[in-house]
Amino acid sequence: MGEGLLQGLREDARSLGFSQIGVAGVDLATAEPGLLGWLERGFHGGMDYMARHGLKRARPAELVPGTVSVITARMDYLPRGTEAGWQRIEFGRLARPGDASVSLYARGRDYHKVLRARLQTLADRLAARIGPHGHRVFTDSAPVLEVELAARSGLGWRGKHTLALSREAGSMFFLGEIYVDVALPATPPVTAHCGSCRACIDVCPTRAIVGERLLDARRCISYLTIEHDGPIPEPLRAPLGNRIYGCDDCQLVCPWNKYARRAVLPDFDIREAFDAPTLLALWAWDEAAFLRATEGSAIRRIGHARWRRNLAVALGNAWRESGDAAYAQALQAARDAAAPLLREHIDWALAQRQP
Ligand code: SF4
Ligand code: SF4
């Protein structure tokens, strides 16, 4: 099986909305020391599932027995209507304390659903070409070393911010994988092009990128606002600013993202509720409104309690920065009915400034 098959698969992938595919082998042994060191330093925070899968993450054939090749795929996600100068627009939003900043990738439909279905179809197309084969699809899945596989198969290199980065497409894309039990020709890696740049390291509001390609997830706003349960550590609340779901700063500042591409699928179009929302408008949502607005969205996964916790921190920051009493009043009005975790965040928020 050779280049002809791969070319056919590339065409299939493109027709399904993927921008690029590659093929990696399953020997990721050289990635194991880095993975173990990261876990030993506790950089995964409360993501116990990362430790639980242990070295299976670097051993595809142990995770899915019989796997001999991994098809890697990337899909651009910048919403189709994204304007030129979008990085400047996003930095502008971050500078206005009353606005709410939601990661660009999460403003449309849940990418897990979109990618998984399309990866499955791609696997079916492969079956039509070579016959039935064992396979399993993944996207943003804990037991898979996604960026490592993407880098090995030439989808990009691992940027200093730890994300996959491409000269043709920056980093605003999702990754997915198909583990297959048929040997496919591996596609070669590309060279890294970060050079002496360290813009992502310097811009990070919480200093979460502790070395080149080394992330302390416990400090990362994406982790804190999405994955982390429980209180947000106090020293990190002010730097969180108005970022209520994820953080794009290290990507916004990356020079390669001038080449980031718009999605070809309408799925990632921005939903009305997440098109320039304000903190106060989102704070007014009760749980039913939250569930309605986040139907089919990745945001729903964090649940209403975590969503409110994030908003309380952002409102406290807006109160401190602007002195607008509307923020304090909104926080105060929700305080008595709040569960203990939320109430503690509301109290912190109210204490950011004297009335
Ligand atoms: S996502 Fe935000 S907090 Fe996390 S490393 Fe990037 S800039 Fe830092
Ligand atoms: S901002 Fe600079 S150092 Fe960071 S990933 Fe982009 S090119 Fe690499």
Side-chain angles (χ1 to χ4, degrees):
M1 270 176 275
E3 192 49 39
L5 173 66
L6 213 52
Q7 196 45 42
L9 210 53
R10 280 194 187 105
E11 283 157 22
D12 290 340
R14 207 161 268 283
S15 72
L16 290 166
F18 293 103
S19 320
Q20 191 181 354
I21 60 164
V23 176
V26 292
D27 179 6
L28 309 183
T30 54
E32 292 187 3
L35 172 62
L36 288 176
W38 188 73
L39 291 169
E40 271 161 22
R41 294 169 82 173
F43 285 167
H44 59 300
M47 294 183 283
D48 296 335
Y49 49 87
M50 295 250 175
R52 219 170 25 248
H53 292 294
L55 287 175
K56 265 194 188 173
R57 298 183 67 222
R59 296 176 184 171
E62 283 185 25
L63 185 70
V64 183
T67 301
V68 290
S69 293
V70 178
I71 300 170
T72 59
R74 65 171 197 82
M75 186 182 279
D76 297 309
Y77 68 67
L78 269 190
R80 291 184 305 171
T82 301
E83 294 175 52
W86 54 275
Q87 296 99 323
R88 185 179 35 77
I89 292 169
E90 294 306 321
F91 277 126
R93 192 190 316 281
L94 290 167
R96 291 187 297 273
D99 286 7
S101 176
V102 169
S103 246
L104 272 149
Y105 77 84
R107 296 179 192 173
R109 184 156 184 255
D110 188 345
Y111 63 99
H112 297 92
K113 297 174 199 276
V114 178
L115 263 82
R116 195 165 300 135
R118 285 168 188 265
L119 286 167
Q120 186 55 53
T121 307
L122 186 59
D124 294 344
R125 301 262 176 96
L126 177 62
R129 290 177 185 277
I130 64 166
H133 60 280
H135 68 268
R136 194 161 144 195
V137 305
F138 295 95
T139 184
D140 190 21
S141 183
V144 177
L145 282 189
E146 287 209 300
V147 177
E148 184 69 30
L149 287 162
R152 282 171 187 250
S153 55
L155 298 193
W157 71 95
R158 186 189 286 273
K160 291 180 188 174
H161 50 20
T162 75
L163 303 168
L165 190 53
S166 153
R167 285 178 92 167
E168 288 84 39
S171 61
M172 314 304 278
F173 50 78
F174 298 120
L175 293 173
E177 303 78 30
I178 311 175
Y179 283 27
V180 291
D181 65 357
V182 287
L184 298 170
T187 51
V190 294
T191 48
H193 294 278
C194 281
S196 59
C197 175
R198 45 173 286 132
C200 52
I201 297 173
D202 294 338
V203 82
C204 176
T206 51
R207 298 278 168 266
I209 307 172
V210 294
E212 293 183 7
R213 296 174 293 282
L214 192 59
L215 181 78
D216 183 349
R218 296 169 301 183
R219 301 186 65 82
C220 174
I221 294 168
S222 283
Y223 164 77
L224 290 169
T225 55
I226 299 171
E227 304 281 346
H228 174 66
D229 221 2
I232 293 181
E234 271 202 46
L236 302 179
R237 291 182 190 179
L240 192 137
N242 60 356
R243 300 167 190 80
I244 54 159
Y245 187 95
C247 168
D248 290 332
D249 291 34
C250 51
Q251 300 192 84
L252 296 178
V253 81
C254 179
W256 288 107
N257 270 329
K258 62 172 169 282
Y259 302 113
R261 298 190 196 162
R262 310 303 184 262
V264 292
L265 301 178
D267 303 69
F268 307 126
D269 288 357
I270 301 175
R271 293 172 169 208
E272 206 184 321
F274 299 112
D275 193 9
T278 65
L279 294 175
L280 286 175
L282 300 182
W283 184 247
W285 287 357
D286 60 11
E287 185 162 16
F290 170 79
L291 291 175
R292 252 194 325 274
T294 58
E295 176 108 50
S297 146
I299 297 173
R300 180 181 261 222
R301 292 163 177 262
I302 71 169
H304 189 235
R306 234 181 262 181
W307 172 253
R308 298 277 286 173
R309 175 202 65 182
N310 298 346
L311 276 167
V313 172
L315 283 165
N317 292 331
W319 168 224
R320 186 183 59 250
E321 296 303 315
S322 71
D324 184 340
Y327 298 118
Q329 283 158 10
L331 286 158
Q332 191 65 55
R335 187 186 178 280
D336 288 349
L341 176 79
L342 180 59
R343 191 177 311 157
E344 184 270 310
H345 285 75
I346 291 177
D347 287 342
W348 174 87
L350 287 167
Q352 292 309 296
R353 193 180 178 112
Q354 294 309 313

